[in-house]
Amino acid sequence: MADLLSTGVSGLLASQVGLSTVGHNISNVNTAGYTRQTTSFNARAPQYNGGYYVGQGADAVSVQRAYSQFLTQSVWSANSGQSRATQYASLTASVNNAVSGSANLQTALDGFFGAVSDLANAPVDTASRQALIGKASTLVSTFRSLSSQFQQIDQQTNQEISNSVDSINSLAQSIADLNGQIQKAYAGGAAPNDLLDARDQAISQLSQVVGVNVTQGSDHMVTVSVGNGQPLVNGTDATKLSTAANPYDSSRMEVVGPGGSIISGQLGSGSLGATFDFRTNVLDPARNQLGRSAIALTDAFNKQHAQGIDLNGDAGGDFFTIGDPAVFNNTANTGNAQVTATVTDVGKLGSADYIVRYNGTSWSVTTTAGVTVPSTGTGAAGDPILIDGLAISVPGGTPQAGDSFQIQPTRNAASTMNVAISDTNKIAASGPLAATKAAGNTGKATLGALTVTNVADPAFNTPANIVFTSPTTYTVNGGAPQTYADGDTITGNGWTLKLSGVPAANDTFTVKPAGSASGDNGNALALANVANKGVLDNGVTTVGKSYSQLIAQVGTAGAQANTALNAQQSILDQAMASQQSLSGVNMDEEAANLLRFQQAYAASAQVINAANTIFDSLMTAVRG
């Protein structure tokens, strides 16, 4: 009976392990990263009894995970892609919200140029002049507000980077610690399923932050590298990443490896890689385009304003002010050279940022993306380095080989924009010249547009008397006769005058400098036309269109980000479904297993009971 009892006990114990495993699965049905476990049974070695073998029961030999390394790594990869897409879409949406928010730049531009048109209708009206200054202030505030919102988003990316690095370091240490625990458990002779799950879950969480490459050694410990091969976990050792200020721009945060080198550009996947890609491909171009629009408006409006005269009779001064391009020294520079940059040709000004390097004998220029930029000039006094509408000079100090500088021509321009005029009398609404028609004219010729073509002409301010000697000929200040036909343009010293209609002999027209408070609106009309004037891209793009380009590029980036997010979510869902079909806990299946092991347990108990009954019967027979 001892063999029957032992056989029953073995079944009882084996069923108990099975029940415990099923109960463990059910308890962890909602545990993230848990892998379903199964119990494996083996029949005990039979006992030879004469001409046959008698079975000795069963043993629970192992509790294993329903696990596929391939499916798990597929989930890690999909996790990285989906987390990257989510972060990219979220950050891009913040830029879209800033551009399309209540501080709409297009509305402010329309309001400003509407005020300029109102001034042209009433050039000496104080209220119209005050309204223009008010609209100009609103426009500048809108530029500065958008720039401030972009700067806040930039600071948000810094916080995201810092938080991500903290998460990476914490998860790396957890994986290293679990490596040590798992190695010790295997040394005891069994696979520590729950520890293995915990390690896989930590790797899964890490993959959401940054792309991972995982390899497992014969000692059951894993080696983890991130990005383009940066070692992170090796056995029980975890490498710590850190953050540091950008060597040029201290307001930007970078990720630094253990050797002190910047590895920001090597972290392509996960939410951290998305943060850097967003900053490079969406935020910086948006900030640069906004600054480019501000520079274009300032330059074009100021140039036109300078061609008019104000109510004091003075030439128009700057209407707006804006800062020069920002120049940053590399913290690793050993020389003491001072580098400055100024905008010389807005029409050639792009939206790139530049790195200027000194090799010991000459300077070279590349974009921050590494594209070589053709340049002329040595940088010495009187011979600036000329690139893309910029002049870069080295007015003082001595550079050393290897020194470099970053030029940001437009990045922060909008934040430095201001209205330069507060006195309404200083708005140069009047053109520098005024055309008049003699009161005694008998012909039908009327004055048309008086246009300034060259304010620098030496005889620009010399009064001109245009006298028609016949309906088809005229002289200017008694000069040689010139022919005329209806609608012709008369050209003078730095100006042109268009007439309409047929003059009569002795009809006279005069062009002379306009006096203060003349009521002339020639320059106000020209200022209003700045809205439609091509300024950027070699005179092709207007200020308004440049802002439309900003909206378009941000909107396109947002649409692409959302499309990528939908695609990556589908990939993750498929990967998770494949893994869960193997490793996930199925409550229906566990309920069936629970019933199966309960019945097996009860049956084994009956075997033990039968063995006990037989044993009692034998003992009774022997005693009787």
Side-chain angles (χ1 to χ4, degrees):
M1 295 303 102
D3 288 340
L4 182 60
L5 181 63
S6 177
T7 298
V9 169
S10 74
L12 196 71
L13 294 175
S15 297
Q16 187 177 31
V17 173
L19 282 169
S20 296
T21 302
V22 171
H24 188 54
N25 287 340
I26 293 172
S27 298
N28 285 281
V29 65
N30 295 315
T31 300
Y34 179 78
T35 300
R36 178 172 59 90
Q37 298 178 11
T38 59
T39 306
S40 297
F41 303 95
N42 273 348
R44 289 180 174 178
Q47 182 180 5
Y48 185 69
N49 188 15
Y52 55 87
Y53 288 90
V54 177
Q56 300 295 303
D59 289 317
V61 295
S62 68
V63 178
Q64 299 175 326
R65 295 191 297 164
Y67 181 77
S68 166
Q69 182 68 26
F70 171 77
L71 292 178
T72 299
Q73 289 187 333
S74 296
V75 170
W76 293 341
S77 177
N79 250 338
S80 289
Q82 192 273 346
S83 181
R84 169 190 163 80
T86 299
Q87 178 78 336
Y88 199 85
S90 174
L91 291 173
T92 302
S94 66
V95 177
N96 259 313
N97 291 338
V99 170
S100 60
S102 58
N104 189 291
L105 184 58
Q106 188 60 57
T107 301
L109 283 168
D110 292 342
F112 172 70
F113 281 109
V116 176
S117 296
D118 291 342
L119 176 66
N121 293 329
V124 296
D125 180 55
T126 301
S128 296
R129 288 170 170 265
Q130 191 61 57
L132 175 58
I133 293 177
K135 291 295 185 180
S137 297
T138 300
L139 175 59
V140 166
S141 295
T142 305
F143 268 113
R144 295 174 71 100
S145 174
L146 273 173
S147 180
S148 176
Q149 291 180 67
F150 287 161
Q151 288 175 345
Q152 290 174 11
I153 295 171
D154 197 15
Q155 293 305 308
Q156 178 187 345
T157 64
N158 283 342
Q159 189 61 51
E160 294 280 354
I161 292 166
S162 179
N163 293 342
S164 295
V165 169
D166 289 343
S167 296
I168 290 172
N169 289 336
S170 175
L171 290 168
Q173 188 60 56
S174 295
I175 295 168
D177 292 343
L178 287 166
N179 267 346
Q181 296 175 44
I182 289 168
Q183 185 187 40
K184 290 179 181 178
Y186 269 108
N193 294 327
D194 293 323
L195 289 177
L196 291 171
D197 281 348
R199 186 175 69 184
D200 283 351
Q201 180 64 10
I203 295 173
S204 179
Q205 292 173 347
L206 179 63
S207 72
Q208 294 177 22
V209 183
V210 63
V212 297
N213 295 299
V214 182
T215 56
Q216 182 168 317
S218 58
D219 56 0
H220 303 288
M221 293 194 290
V222 295
T223 299
V224 181
S225 60
V226 297
N228 293 343
Q230 171 66 41
L232 190 64
V233 178
N234 186 11
T236 57
D237 296 325
T239 298
K240 281 192 175 295
L241 304 181
S242 59
T243 58
N246 181 279
Y248 296 105
D249 186 351
S250 61
S251 69
R252 314 302 287 281
M253 189 171 289
E254 306 290 348
V255 177
V256 177
S261 59
I262 295 176
I263 61 171
S264 303
Q266 302 175 25
L267 309 173
S269 192
S271 61
L272 180 56
T275 302
F276 281 111
D277 285 348
F278 159 78
R279 191 170 75 177
T280 300
N281 299 322
V282 178
L283 181 59
D284 286 353
R287 294 180 69 185
N288 289 355
Q289 183 68 11
L290 178 67
R292 190 167 173 251
S293 297
I295 292 172
L297 174 63
T298 299
D299 182 77
F301 204 84
N302 282 353
K303 284 180 177 177
Q304 186 58 56
H305 193 255
Q307 294 192 28
I309 60 172
D310 61 22
L311 291 182
N312 300 322
D314 299 324
D318 284 347
F319 193 93
F320 296 108
T321 60
I322 202 162
D324 286 331
V327 180
F328 299 98
N329 296 2
N330 191 321
T331 54
N333 287 356
T334 58
N336 62 354
Q338 303 169 7
V339 173
T340 62
T342 55
V343 176
T344 57
D345 188 345
V346 173
K348 295 179 180 178
L349 187 64
S351 56
D353 297 324
Y354 305 93
I355 303 295
V356 183
R357 293 182 176 86
Y358 186 68
N359 63 9
T361 57
S362 62
W363 296 88
S364 62
V365 184
T366 65
T367 66
T368 50
V371 179
T372 300
V373 179
S375 63
T376 60
T378 63
D383 189 24
I385 301 167
L386 300 178
I387 59 163
D388 298 345
L390 294 176
I392 303 169
S393 303
V394 187
T398 302
Q400 298 295 319
D403 285 359
S404 62
F405 302 81
Q406 186 180 81
I407 313 292
Q408 294 179 358
T410 64
R411 177 78 54 83
N412 297 308
S415 67
T416 67
M417 191 177 182
N418 283 297
V419 180
I421 291 179
S422 58
D423 184 352
T424 58
N425 287 339
K426 291 187 177 182
I427 299 176
S430 174
L433 303 174
T436 58
K437 174 184 176 181
N441 287 0
T442 59
K444 296 182 179 180
T446 58
L447 290 169
L450 174 61
T451 304
V452 174
T453 57
N454 182 15
V455 73
D457 190 298
F460 180 76
N461 289 317
T462 301
N465 290 314
I466 304 166
V467 179
F468 281 85
T469 56
S470 74
T472 58
T473 59
Y474 68 91
T475 63
V476 178
N477 288 342
Q482 302 181 54
T483 59
Y484 171 80
D486 185 6
D488 278 358
T489 297
I490 298 172
T491 301
N493 298 317
W495 53 264
T496 60
L497 175 65
K498 191 175 184 62
L499 298 179
S500 298
V502 179
N506 297 318
D507 280 359
T508 301
F509 298 86
T510 302
V511 176
K512 61 182 180 180
S516 62
S518 66
D520 181 74
N521 66 352
N523 203 48
L525 291 171
L527 288 170
N529 192 50
V530 169
N532 304 312
K533 183 179 180 180
V535 181
L536 297 165
D537 304 319
N538 293 315
V540 173
T541 304
T542 65
V543 175
K545 186 177 180 181
S546 71
Y547 178 63
S548 298
Q549 290 173 344
L550 168 60
I551 295 174
Q553 73 185 41
V554 171
T556 299
Q560 292 174 342
N562 289 332
T563 299
L565 175 57
N566 292 334
Q568 289 297 329
Q569 186 63 54
S570 296
I571 293 172
L572 177 59
D573 291 344
Q574 292 173 6
M576 289 290 294
S578 297
Q579 186 210 37
Q580 287 300 301
S581 67
L582 173 67
S583 302
V585 175
N586 185 306
M587 293 300 289
D588 292 336
E589 183 180 351
E590 298 304 324
N593 287 335
L594 184 64
L595 181 62
R596 179 163 62 93
F597 287 124
Q598 282 178 321
Q599 291 174 342
Y601 189 92
S604 295
Q606 289 299 320
V607 172
I608 294 172
N609 185 53
N612 185 57
T613 300
I614 293 173
F615 182 75
D616 288 344
S617 297
L618 286 174
M619 293 299 295
T620 300
V622 170
R623 285 195 300 266

